[in-house]
Amino acid sequence: MTHTAVNRELNVAPGSVVHIRDEEWLVTSAEKSVDGTLVRVQGLSELVRDTTAAFYSALDTIEVVDPRNSKVVADSSPNYRRARLWLESTLRKTPAPLNDPKLGVSTRMLADSLNYQRIAVAKALDSRNVRPRILIADAVGLGKTLEIGMILSELVKRGRGERILIVTPRHVLEQMQHELWCRFALPFVRLDSAGIQKVRQILPGTRNPFTYFKRAIISIDTLKSARYRAHLEKLRWDAVVIDESHNLTNSGTQNNELARVLAPNTEALILASATPHNGKNDSFAELLRLLDPTVVRPDGTFEQKDIEHLIIRRHRHSPEVASEVGADWAERLEPDNKLIPASPEENDVADELADTWLYPQAGTSPYSGQNGGLFPWTLAKAFLSSPAALLETVQERLKKLDGGALAGEAKEAEALKRLKELTEASLAGKSAKYEALVNYLQEIGVGKKSPMRAVIFAERVPTLKWLQEKLPADLGLKATNVAILHGGLSDVDQLEIIDGFKRESSDIRVLVTGDVASEGVNLHAQCHHLIHFDIPWSLIRVEQRNGRIDRYGQKFPPQITTLLLEPDNSQFRGDLKVLTRVMEREHEAHTVLQDVASLMGAHSVAREEEAIRDVLMKKKSVHEVLRSPEDVTSGDDFDAFFESLASDVPAKNDVPTETQIGLYATDLDYLDEALREAFVTPEASLSNNGVAWTIHKEHSVAELEPPRDLQHRLAYLPQSYLSDRAVTKKMKLATTAISGKLELERARAAQPTAGEKTTTWPEAHFLGPLHPVLEWASDKALASLSRSEVLAVRGNVENATVLLMGTLMNERGQVVSKAFFTADFPNPDNPSFCLVDTLDDLGAYLKAAALTANAINPGAIANVGQLQQLVPVAVENTSETLEATFAAAQQAAEQRLAGWQDRADHWQESSLEQHLPGMSKSALKKQRERIQEEQRIAASLAPSQRLVRPLLVIVPEITAVEGAH
């Protein structure tokens, strides 16, 4: 076999075969660097099989196997199984072109096929983006996690998803991990507190954990520590996802600094937030700079036409959403805002609060600290939550006053003691709102023998604990039937409670939770009743809470109920009208606006609470701080601008999907063939050189016992999935999308048996196209076949034909375009002449050539050595055809990059003349350096190299059998 030694300039692409350090490797990516070409590879020869590595051409001698010298080998396997596996594996391992508009794998995963979600994926892959960059700003409930999973799966298919980091709030870590693995077969190591502890046991303290785990999911609170930031600054990622990205926009904060480290160091960046801005131009500009720094001018301004391709934004009633969700997202019922007449004890507390603290007859409240106007409303807010919350607030303030010698402090302490006595009497007596809650829960069917569930939101932890303590007895439930969730719990405890509430078999009937569960947590699987036990003084909080059950996948009409205590005190009753109006406005905006935060324009929970407090304190009117939806859309501020952002995306049904081009009808067929090639009798036990392979056709489930090399690969799967389902002992696979969904539903509905714990991880995991067991099986099956060989088979062809694949790549080794060709040799006496045709439909050609599982192989082809001379001729002639085939793709790519380069050049020129007022010279310098780096990256994306590879030699079916007489 001939090898070509090369120096720094290597003409390699994913799929090329190289020899390095006396071993054979398959190239998975290639990129030019300061040390020559960086080649990432997977081991092929026996010593390095199942090993991945990276080599630099300046440091190692890299020998590229010249495709013209590929050795032709006759396929003697039954039904040409080896050739079909070889071709299928090559097609699967070769990345799709970077900007291929067709979706290839995301539509074949375990998620409902919704066009509005496909539109989001298409926009992320839009060719106008130099690199995949998008802000998913869909409203609460549309399925941003599924859109993220779909985008990531397409990036993996395009060879852009090897190293992925997901940053998300800690209470949704497992939820995100669960969705990405169960629905998309994308495994992520969860680095919560327990995960980090395991890492410390495995790795030395000085080892960067992100070099060990290629795909990780971690909370933003953990990641923003100085220790992890140092690790991140040294790494580059294929994709970074930042969930709830509205927390990134404030310059100078740790979150913003973290985002600034990650954004330049990742190929793809996906930001997700239902509330993506704070109403300020400069803050939103900061978010845009993370995606593409050139779309924001040096003076901080930007235009809608320049940013539309970076943003996708829809809501429940957007036409493309409403037309598709149907019964999978039941319409919300009219909210039930219940005014509860206060008990006598509660009226006493209300009068004391109004007369002494809120509207003091003496003119000022007894509060002796600073900001005296605020503390009385803190008391009022605690009172409207629960007597338990008010009592804690009073007691905490009394502790601070303990021993105070000033007259003002003594006066305040006296007033607080009086309020404390009244609150204790209220706590010991009848609580009208609590009784209304118990009655309501009983009315909807929450009880000992009922599966009905409800989630109760309250702001104050004392309220949550009070409810958790009282509800079981009054509802005839066990203590385990009422769970509590708040930010004081560890991330592990939070995840366990959330996971339990989703499972039908769980004992939890009532979840009492604070606003820690208002962002990102899905609670709709078993629940459609949500009760606001107190009202947040923030529309953002109200919308976030409601979105926990009012979201895609909700089969029952969500019922939102608000309990609001109504004392007899006339001044207090006036205040309650303001809070009731908040709830009414949220419902009005729900059907019209993308974001209810635009009604107040504050875009911050704290600022919204401050605005409501101003209304209660009579500093402003309710109409000044709480606009109508019509006021928002007709305005001329940033909110109106953001609401006007149209989704510049293909119309319905215009997102193309890739037709299956391989040789197998299903992934199961491919896996079954691979196992039979690798183990001959895969049904045998491990001890008898099998894997106990069993297909249960009636249940659409298959199972096998993983051997040691597969167990090694499975080590990177979610740890709780591995332990809960004992996957390394027996792996079960759902072989159809229908059975996969049923397995997920069974996991949520599973009833516990003696000695076993229930789990939401499915017993049989969906066998999707990216499942790691498929890659393992194909590698195992082809282990004995050198990647520098080409198999020869018989088929329905008139003349000897070479099937080839051509790829156009950029300097980073990424596929820009891909095409398939046939080189037909019509004259056996003149093997130097061939006719090259471009295949428009490879799948149709393979089918016409009869390369199916039913193909009959009478034996190895005779005189196969004579076919050897066809390969270099086919490669040479196809290379010439390749120029014309790829001309249009090259021109389109170069034009796209030139347009971006022009904008970057204009930015650099403008930065010399103008910059954002208040921006320091050092900050401007960093921004210039960032754009210069982006320009270097853009230049490396231009098409620069071509590669032709022979895939198969096909001869007429009448060709003689080797050794036949």
Side-chain angles (χ1 to χ4, degrees):
M1 187 179 299
T2 303
H3 304 292
T4 303
V6 293
N7 51 26
R8 288 172 178 246
E9 296 298 324
L10 292 175
N11 187 28
V12 293
S16 296
V17 177
V18 294
H19 273 247
I20 308 172
R21 301 183 185 180
D22 297 324
E23 299 295 340
E24 190 176 61
W25 307 82
L26 178 71
V27 175
T28 55
S29 72
E31 179 180 350
K32 289 186 178 179
S33 71
V34 293
D35 290 314
T37 302
L38 169 61
V39 180
R40 298 188 186 278
V41 294
Q42 177 181 326
L44 293 177
S45 50
E46 187 172 356
L47 187 62
V48 294
R49 194 170 298 143
D50 287 331
T51 300
T52 58
F55 300 99
Y56 289 94
S57 62
L59 305 176
D60 277 282
T61 300
I62 300 177
E63 297 178 340
V64 183
V65 176
D66 190 329
R68 291 171 297 186
N69 298 326
S70 299
K71 182 181 178 181
V72 179
V73 178
D75 181 6
S76 59
S77 64
N79 310 110
Y80 299 116
R81 181 172 66 201
R82 184 171 293 185
R84 288 185 293 106
L85 284 170
W86 159 256
L87 183 56
E88 180 77 15
S89 298
T90 301
L91 294 177
R92 286 173 178 252
K93 287 177 179 293
T94 302
L98 296 183
N99 298 112
D100 190 345
K102 299 186 296 295
L103 305 187
V105 291
S106 60
T107 56
R108 295 161 56 198
M109 299 298 187
L110 204 60
D112 294 340
S113 182
L114 300 173
N115 194 66
Y116 79 84
Q117 293 179 338
R118 294 196 297 272
I119 286 172
V121 181
K123 195 157 192 176
L125 303 173
D126 194 317
S127 60
R128 287 179 295 176
N129 296 326
V130 173
R131 297 186 285 174
R133 301 269 159 144
I134 192 169
L135 166 61
I136 303 177
D138 284 340
V140 174
L142 266 67
K144 288 187 285 296
T145 300
L146 293 180
E147 291 170 351
I148 289 169
M150 292 173 73
I151 293 170
L152 292 179
S153 64
E154 290 295 340
L155 291 176
V156 171
K157 176 63 176 175
R158 286 158 174 75
R160 309 176 90 169
E162 179 71 9
R163 292 181 50 77
I164 304 174
L165 176 69
I166 297 179
V167 186
T168 191
R170 64 178 184 172
H171 54 275
V172 295
L173 283 172
E174 185 170 37
Q175 177 176 289
M176 179 79 78
Q177 182 193 38
H178 187 279
E179 290 288 278
L180 292 176
W181 171 244
C182 291
R183 297 188 184 277
F184 301 98
L186 293 173
F188 286 83
V189 173
R190 189 174 79 234
L191 296 179
D192 54 13
S193 58
I196 290 173
Q197 186 61 36
K198 290 179 181 177
V199 170
R200 289 172 179 163
Q201 294 172 0
I202 297 172
L203 300 179
T206 56
R207 176 76 182 271
N208 186 337
F210 301 113
T211 62
Y212 186 79
F213 298 112
K214 294 182 179 180
R215 294 177 182 170
I217 180 168
I218 191 169
S219 80
I220 193 166
D221 293 321
T222 300
L223 199 58
K224 67 187 180 186
S225 70
R227 176 184 178 186
Y228 284 104
R229 176 174 172 173
H231 288 317
L232 292 175
E233 289 175 339
K234 302 172 184 176
L235 293 172
R236 296 193 65 86
W237 300 89
D238 292 317
V240 167
V241 178
I242 304 179
D243 197 15
E244 305 298 344
S245 55
H246 53 273
N247 297 314
L248 308 176
T249 57
N250 294 327
S251 297
T253 63
Q254 285 183 309
N255 288 352
N256 180 254
E257 290 175 2
L258 169 65
R260 288 189 180 199
V261 169
L262 290 172
N265 291 330
T266 180
E267 176 85 357
L269 179 62
I270 305 169
L271 306 179
S273 174
T275 53
H277 68 94
N278 61 7
K280 295 181 179 180
N281 186 91
D282 58 343
S283 293
F284 190 64
E286 180 67 15
L287 208 59
L288 293 173
R289 288 190 190 97
L290 297 175
L291 296 168
D292 183 346
T294 68
V295 299
V296 180
R297 301 185 185 97
D299 64 359
T301 60
F302 50 87
E303 294 186 15
Q304 181 169 333
K305 64 181 179 61
D306 293 330
I307 67 174
E308 285 178 336
H309 66 287
L310 296 172
I311 303 169
I312 188 86
R313 185 163 176 78
R314 291 80 53 91
H315 63 97
R316 165 69 173 85
H317 295 93
S318 296
E320 67 265 36
V321 177
S323 64
E324 286 198 290
V325 295
D328 288 318
W329 192 343
E331 278 282 5
R332 183 196 292 190
L333 297 173
E334 283 291 320
D336 186 5
N337 299 322
K338 298 179 181 290
L339 289 173
I340 313 299
S343 67
E345 294 88 351
E346 289 166 334
N347 275 320
D348 290 342
V349 176
D351 288 340
E352 178 66 17
L353 284 170
D355 297 342
T356 304
W357 295 90
L358 300 175
Y359 313 103
Q361 297 171 353
T364 58
S365 78
Y367 184 67
S368 60
Q370 297 179 344
N371 298 322
L374 300 182
F375 182 69
W377 291 101
T378 301
L379 293 173
K381 198 174 185 184
F383 167 65
L384 291 175
S385 181
S386 73
L390 178 57
L391 183 61
E392 187 210 48
T393 303
V394 171
Q395 289 174 332
E396 287 301 312
R397 180 58 185 166
L398 280 170
K399 288 180 184 178
K400 292 181 180 180
L401 295 174
D402 186 33
L406 298 177
E409 292 180 348
K411 180 181 179 182
E412 182 187 358
E414 183 181 346
L416 285 171
K417 289 175 182 177
R418 184 165 61 251
L419 181 60
K420 179 173 180 275
E421 290 176 0
L422 293 171
T423 304
E424 287 173 337
S426 172
L427 193 60
K430 172 187 175 183
S431 171
K433 190 169 63 165
Y434 173 77
E435 289 192 357
L437 171 66
V438 172
N439 291 336
Y440 178 74
L441 292 173
Q442 290 173 335
E443 287 172 10
I444 64 174
V446 174
K448 186 175 182 180
K449 297 182 178 180
S450 171
M452 183 60 68
R453 300 188 186 189
V455 56
I456 304 170
F457 272 97
E459 283 193 317
R460 305 293 297 269
V461 173
T463 301
L464 302 178
K465 293 180 177 178
W466 180 64
L467 292 174
Q468 183 197 29
E469 181 182 341
K470 290 174 65 66
L471 282 173
D474 292 331
L475 291 173
L477 298 173
K478 299 177 182 177
T480 55
N481 298 141
V482 179
I484 184 173
L485 184 67
H486 57 79
L489 299 175
S490 72
D491 50 7
V492 175
D493 289 339
Q494 289 183 35
L495 294 171
E496 184 177 344
I497 292 166
I498 293 168
D499 180 66
F501 193 69
K502 295 177 183 179
R503 285 187 282 107
E504 185 177 330
S505 61
S506 170
D507 288 340
I508 302 174
R509 291 294 171 266
V510 178
L511 176 62
V512 182
T513 179
D515 287 314
V516 66
S518 66
E519 284 190 294
V521 177
N522 299 339
L523 301 175
H524 65 293
Q526 309 293 338
C527 177
H528 62 280
H529 284 282
L530 185 148
I531 300 112
H532 296 281
F533 194 72
D534 55 26
I535 298 179
W537 293 7
S538 163
L539 279 165
I540 295 173
R541 278 282 185 249
V542 173
E543 181 185 43
Q544 288 173 338
R545 285 182 178 186
N546 292 348
R548 298 316 97 216
I549 67 164
D550 185 10
R551 58 192 308 107
Y552 178 73
Q554 177 58 267
K555 305 292 186 181
F556 300 92
Q559 178 65 66
I560 312 296
T561 303
T562 305
L563 303 180
L564 189 58
L565 189 67
E566 185 181 36
D568 292 340
N569 189 286
S570 60
Q571 291 174 306
F572 235 124
R573 296 182 72 168
D575 298 337
L576 299 182
K577 291 179 181 178
V578 175
L579 300 181
T580 304
R581 192 68 183 127
V582 169
M583 304 303 293
E584 292 170 348
R585 273 282 192 253
E586 188 275 340
H587 186 67
E588 291 171 14
H590 166 69
T591 59
V592 179
L593 299 180
Q594 311 276 5
D595 178 13
V596 301
S598 58
L599 293 176
M600 295 180 70
H603 299 281
S604 156
V605 172
R607 287 196 295 270
E608 285 191 342
E609 290 178 343
E610 183 179 348
I612 293 296
R613 191 183 296 113
D614 285 345
V615 174
L616 296 173
M617 295 172 68
K618 307 299 189 289
K619 292 182 179 180
K620 293 181 180 178
S621 70
V622 68
H623 302 293
E624 287 181 271
V625 302
L626 199 57
R627 296 183 288 179
S628 69
E630 294 75 19
D631 291 336
V632 173
T633 54
S634 62
D636 59 358
D637 59 6
F638 187 79
D639 287 310
F641 164 77
F642 206 78
E643 285 293 331
S644 70
L645 278 178
S647 293
D648 182 19
V649 292
K652 186 173 176 64
N653 298 325
D654 277 357
V655 180
T657 57
E658 181 183 67
T659 55
Q660 195 163 345
I661 63 173
L663 295 95
Y664 295 88
T666 68
D667 291 313
L668 176 63
D669 292 338
Y670 174 50
L671 177 59
D672 185 63
E673 282 257 71
L675 292 175
R676 296 193 182 285
E677 177 65 22
F679 296 97
V680 181
T681 309
E683 293 85 357
S685 64
L686 284 176
S687 58
N688 291 312
N689 299 318
V691 289
W693 173 240
T694 307
I695 299 176
H696 305 281
K697 290 185 178 180
E698 67 279 12
H699 300 297
S700 297
V701 170
E703 61 183 57
L704 74 156
E705 294 178 7
R708 188 178 298 276
D709 57 342
L710 178 55
Q711 291 179 23
H712 175 73
R713 297 198 188 198
L714 298 180
Y716 297 97
L717 269 54
Q719 291 302 306
S720 52
Y721 164 68
L722 291 174
S723 59
D724 289 358
R725 291 304 184 187
V727 177
T728 55
K729 295 180 179 179
K730 178 173 288 187
M731 171 174 274
K732 294 185 178 181
L733 302 164
T735 58
T736 67
I738 293 175
S739 64
K741 290 179 180 179
L742 286 174
E743 288 293 329
L744 280 175
E745 292 173 6
R746 287 193 187 103
R748 285 195 293 261
Q751 297 298 321
T753 57
E756 292 187 5
K757 76 174 219 177
T758 55
T759 175
T760 55
W761 296 105
E763 182 178 7
H765 186 271
F766 176 57
L767 183 66
L770 298 181
H771 202 291
V773 76
L774 292 173
E775 186 172 14
W776 163 79
S778 67
D779 289 345
K780 192 80 173 176
L782 302 174
S784 62
L785 180 67
S786 170
R787 297 279 172 162
S788 54
E789 296 176 343
V790 178
L791 290 169
V793 301
R794 299 176 186 82
N796 184 22
V797 294
E798 292 184 8
N799 310 302
T801 302
V802 180
L803 177 66
L804 307 102
M805 177 170 63
T807 48
L808 175 67
M809 289 96 47
N810 57 34
E811 289 183 2
R812 300 164 74 87
Q814 298 166 329
V815 177
V816 177
S817 188
K818 180 170 67 175
F820 298 94
F821 305 87
T822 55
D824 187 306
F825 290 81
N827 186 353
D829 296 326
N830 184 11
S832 63
F833 174 76
C834 68
L835 299 172
V836 177
D837 284 325
T838 303
L839 291 177
D840 294 326
D841 188 337
L842 176 63
Y845 175 80
L846 295 173
K847 186 176 181 180
L851 290 173
T852 67
N854 297 322
I856 297 175
N857 184 1
I861 295 170
N863 302 316
V864 71
Q866 296 178 4
L867 300 174
Q868 188 70 47
Q869 58 190 324
L870 306 183
V871 174
V873 176
V875 171
E876 290 290 347
N877 283 269
T878 302
S879 297
E880 296 175 7
T881 306
L882 201 64
E883 295 296 324
T885 303
F886 285 160
Q890 178 144 357
Q891 183 179 11
E894 290 174 348
Q895 286 178 347
R896 180 173 64 253
L897 292 170
W900 187 90
Q901 286 281 19
D902 288 344
R903 189 167 73 230
D905 290 340
H906 179 69
W907 193 99
Q908 294 285 21
E909 293 170 5
S910 300
S911 70
L912 300 176
E913 304 168 1
Q914 55 173 306
H915 64 273
L916 190 64
M919 179 184 286
S920 66
K921 289 184 179 180
S922 62
L924 183 61
K925 180 183 178 182
K926 286 182 179 179
Q927 197 65 13
R928 288 194 188 118
E929 291 173 349
R930 164 84 191 278
I931 291 181
Q932 287 170 358
E933 175 63 18
E934 293 283 334
Q935 287 177 294
R936 286 192 290 271
I937 292 171
S940 72
L941 295 175
S944 63
Q945 51 185 335
R946 296 162 178 77
L947 184 68
V948 175
R949 283 181 283 164
L951 300 177
L952 205 62
V953 177
I954 311 172
V955 298
E957 292 175 325
I958 59 172
T959 304
V961 176
E962 183 180 29
H965 299 289

